[in-house]
Amino acid sequence: MKCNYAKLFIHDYVDGYLADEQQSIIESHILECAECKSEVRAFKQQKLALSELPTPELTFDTLMFAENVTNIAEKKYSPEKNGVGSTVSLSIAASLLLSVIVGLLFIGEKPNATPVEFHPNNEIFTINEQKKNFNLVFNSPKALNNVTFTVILPDDTELAGHPGEKQVIWTAQLIQGRNILTLPVISSNQNENELIITKINYADNSKVFEIELNAKRSKQIT
Amino acid sequence: MTIHFGNKNKNNKFSNLILPYLGQIKRLAFRLTGNTHDAEDLIQEFLIKIYPHKASLDLSNKSRSWITKVIYNTYIDLWRKKRNSPLELAESYCISERSDEIDEFNAHVCTTLNPQTLISLSQSQRQLTEFLFLLSNEHRIVITMHDIEGYTLPELTEIINTPLGTLKSRLHRGREKLRNIIIEQNKNNPNLELENQEIVNRGIEGQYYEM
């Protein structure tokens, strides 16, 4: 058998989709052909590595949210619904929907949503450190490429996914109009007046924002 | 006559009904979006969407694939909405070295890889997750559903609502692209190759070959 022919079936072979007879035809070719053997090996390895990828835990309390969906739906469909009950739960629903998106923080314009804290699921979140998402909202007059973000963190504070790094730098694109930068901050620092400094550089221009760890708001300093 | 909507019976509570599917829901939402933030948004949309159909959740395999299908469709809806929205999130960053391969479809996906995404993975797993997001959305979704989540191609034709041949060629092409990305990256980083090799060796000895 020619390799070209065998290669047509390599993925099906790896996945076990071939009929027994075809599977053994390919198998006997692979035993003789070093090149095809190494191809098969490579794809099996890749598939195995993918199948072993773990899923990070979400702190989102899905069940609590499901309860809220239930409450809203019951109010909505209840024959006894009256203005007060349904309005309250609908507004809770609205703020719940938005709260995951909006952590704290406002620059430029205030988001309409009222931030609501989700209590992390105890099973998942056992560390004492506090995790907060700080959302930095800012306007850009036009779309910009290669904008550099630099985040400088106080002691005992880090960005999720960047353990031990005092300074995290990356580049991104900005769209025209409102942009939101989300900083997932984990901090065990008790001094709530400590500042997270975020610099945004584009060509020769830069803006610096300070965010207090207990921030209800942040300010632009340059 | 009084009609009771919203049954208070504990066993019929929505949260109890979805409890058996919780792991599946969270895992899929994360796999599709690539980060916890968007996964949470996706779960919310999904729960609101399935609430009216909660009575049909019966722990069968049919329910499981239906849930997967609804999550997938919800993801695609959200993705389209986000793509068309002027309020695109800018929290994210692309892996700049590979920006030459990022097309319009990809660019969005790439931007969803924010810092919290990659927490709790080993270095080689982080890399693999990042590489997956360098693929086009079509390739990535089929690889994710098939190679990571373990759905078969015939199951995926239902879930993704796409013909078998198309899915197959996306899967094969995607795997080859992913492999090329890994090879290229290994050239630049010999340490990574060693780590990848470790994963590989374990696989060879494992039960994977007994298909």
Side-chain angles (χ1 to χ4, degrees):
Chain A
M1 189 200 298
K2 292 272 192 300
C3 288
N4 284 350
Y5 179 76
K7 276 180 182 160
L8 291 176
F9 297 101
I10 273 186
H11 291 282
D12 285 335
Y13 173 77
V14 167
D15 294 327
Y17 284 137
L18 297 175
D20 290 351
E21 197 186 338
Q22 267 181 308
Q23 191 89 357
S24 49
I25 292 173
I26 302 294
E27 196 155 285
S28 53
H29 172 75
I30 287 165
L31 287 173
E32 295 163 2
C33 172
E35 193 189 328
C36 288
K37 193 178 190 170
S38 106
E39 288 269 294
V40 166
R41 188 183 141 117
F43 286 118
K44 283 191 174 185
Q45 290 157 357
Q46 185 173 300
K47 192 176 169 185
L48 179 76
L50 286 167
S51 72
E52 288 183 339
L53 279 180
T55 314
E57 293 284 7
L58 307 183
T59 54
F60 175 62
D61 191 336
T62 307
L63 291 178
M64 190 184 101
F65 188 79
E67 294 277 352
N68 282 301
V69 172
T70 311
N71 292 338
I72 297 157
E74 280 176 1
K75 285 280 184 325
K76 191 174 166 190
Y77 296 120
S78 165
E80 294 158 23
K81 77 172 173 185
N82 54 38
V84 181
S86 54
T87 312
V88 170
S89 60
L90 283 173
S91 60
I92 291 172
S95 50
L96 277 171
L97 275 173
L98 291 162
S99 64
V100 178
I101 303 164
V102 182
L104 284 172
L105 186 62
F106 329 69
I107 286 197
E109 54 188 293
K110 278 193 176 185
N112 293 327
T114 316
V116 175
E117 261 184 40
F118 267 109
H119 295 289
N121 189 334
N122 289 334
E123 290 167 13
I124 298 167
F125 227 64
T126 50
I127 48 176
N128 289 326
E129 291 165 327
Q130 267 198 311
K131 184 176 167 199
K132 280 183 187 173
N133 278 348
F134 291 93
N135 289 351
L136 205 58
V137 184
F138 51 91
N139 289 306
S140 174
K142 56 175 184 171
L144 300 172
N145 287 324
N146 290 325
V147 177
T148 307
F149 290 83
T150 309
V151 176
I152 301 166
L153 299 152
D155 289 341
D156 303 323
T157 302
E158 61 190 37
L159 286 189
H162 295 261
E165 293 176 37
K166 287 274 140 253
Q167 183 171 313
V168 181
I169 302 176
W170 72 99
T171 54
Q173 297 163 353
L174 296 187
I175 55 159
Q176 184 179 1
R178 206 167 82 134
N179 292 267
I180 303 172
L181 169 72
T182 300
L183 300 173
V185 173
I186 300 170
S187 178
S188 56
N189 192 320
Q190 299 302 315
N191 183 353
E192 294 194 322
N193 295 322
E194 291 272 17
L195 298 172
I196 301 166
I197 315 281
T198 304
K199 281 186 210 164
I200 303 176
N201 293 304
Y202 175 72
D204 292 335
N205 304 314
S206 76
K207 289 211 183 307
V208 179
F209 298 100
E210 285 180 346
I211 309 167
E212 289 180 12
L213 273 181
N214 66 343
K216 294 285 183 288
R217 66 184 64 235
S218 74
K219 64 177 179 184
Q220 183 180 333
I221 54 176
T222 57
Chain B
M1 190 176 77
T2 317
I3 300 169
H4 289 288
F5 291 78
N7 194 333
K8 295 290 181 192
N9 182 331
K10 196 177 174 230
N11 294 327
N12 285 338
K13 268 172 68 181
F14 186 41
S15 50
N16 287 333
L17 289 169
I18 63 152
L19 191 59
Y21 306 99
L22 214 54
Q24 179 193 358
I25 294 168
K26 288 184 173 184
R27 215 180 45 239
L28 260 178
F30 177 79
R31 286 283 160 236
L32 288 171
T33 58
N35 71 74
T36 51
H37 181 96
D38 288 345
E40 288 165 2
D41 287 352
L42 173 55
I43 293 172
Q44 290 182 30
E45 289 284 331
F46 162 76
L47 290 175
I48 292 166
K49 217 178 211 178
I50 65 158
Y51 178 82
H53 310 284
K54 63 176 181 158
S56 56
L57 292 173
D58 59 4
L59 295 180
S60 63
N61 279 340
K62 210 174 158 196
S63 284
R64 292 201 174 270
S65 26
W66 177 71
I67 280 186
T68 303
K69 189 174 176 150
V70 179
I71 293 180
Y72 169 77
N73 287 333
T74 313
Y75 166 72
I76 295 295
D77 289 348
L78 282 179
W79 178 80
R80 288 198 181 124
K81 236 186 243 172
K82 210 168 173 180
R83 186 184 53 178
N84 297 330
S85 162
L87 289 180
E88 192 179 341
L89 291 178
E91 77 259 46
S92 37
Y93 54 92
C94 289
I95 300 160
S96 51
E97 295 92 318
R98 302 202 57 82
S99 55
D100 54 325
E101 289 198 7
I102 294 166
D103 54 26
E104 186 249 337
F105 198 66
N106 234 337
H108 164 80
V109 177
C110 183
T111 62
T112 66
L113 271 183
N114 63 33
Q116 80 222 70
T117 307
L118 304 173
I119 202 164
S120 83
L121 302 179
S122 78
Q123 196 202 342
S124 59
Q125 285 172 332
R126 275 186 192 204
Q127 295 279 359
L128 191 55
T129 309
E130 285 180 356
F131 295 159
L132 263 178
F133 277 82
L134 294 175
L135 298 172
S136 74
N137 222 13
E138 285 181 343
H139 288 154
R140 183 179 62 83
I141 284 172
V142 180
I143 291 183
T144 298
M145 297 291 228
H146 189 276
D147 288 357
I148 305 182
E149 291 300 311
Y151 290 96
T152 64
L153 285 175
E155 284 171 329
L156 291 179
T157 57
E158 293 287 317
I159 293 166
I160 303 181
N161 200 17
T162 304
L164 184 68
T166 312
L167 286 181
K168 211 175 222 190
S169 84
R170 282 182 196 167
L171 177 67
H172 300 175
R173 190 84 194 95
R175 278 180 182 165
E176 278 150 23
K177 283 193 168 175
L178 181 62
R179 187 183 169 209
N180 290 337
I181 291 172
I182 295 173
I183 290 172
E184 203 177 298
Q185 201 67 24
N186 282 346
K187 273 189 212 153
N188 304 333
N189 186 351
N191 289 336
L192 183 65
E193 184 169 22
L194 275 180
E195 252 203 76
N196 284 339
Q197 198 58 42
E198 263 174 46
I199 294 183
V200 164
N201 290 340
R202 268 190 295 128
I204 292 297
E205 299 305 325
Q207 58 186 5
Y208 186 75
Y209 266 50
E210 300 164 16
M211 286 182 307

